[in-house]
Amino acid sequence: MIPKDPVILLSYVNTKLRDEYPDLAGFCAAMDADQTDLEATLAGLDYHYSPERNQFV
């Protein structure tokens, strides 16, 4: 289950991207998560997905 708290979500997603998934689309597909909603939630913390780094920065 994906965390609801945005700060915990940020850490969770970045860890999963680093350790298990080659990109955000792969993570979202595997976790059955809406990529647009995920990006919007983390944008609220001023974090945006960087495909080059495969993490939210």
Side-chain angles (χ1 to χ4, degrees):
M1 179 157 222
I2 296 177
K4 299 291 183 198
D5 180 274
V7 175
I8 295 172
L9 177 64
L10 173 64
S11 177
Y12 177 81
V13 171
N14 275 344
T15 298
K16 290 288 192 180
L17 289 171
R18 181 191 70 215
D19 295 344
E20 298 177 33
Y21 298 98
D23 57 33
L24 183 58
F27 169 81
C28 289
M31 301 300 288
D32 195 29
D34 184 280
Q35 185 170 338
T36 303
D37 289 345
L38 179 66
E39 290 185 274
T41 298
L42 295 179
L45 297 174
D46 201 26
Y47 280 84
H48 305 279
Y49 181 66
S50 167
E52 297 82 20
R53 296 177 67 179
N54 192 33
Q55 69 180 21
F56 282 85
V57 293

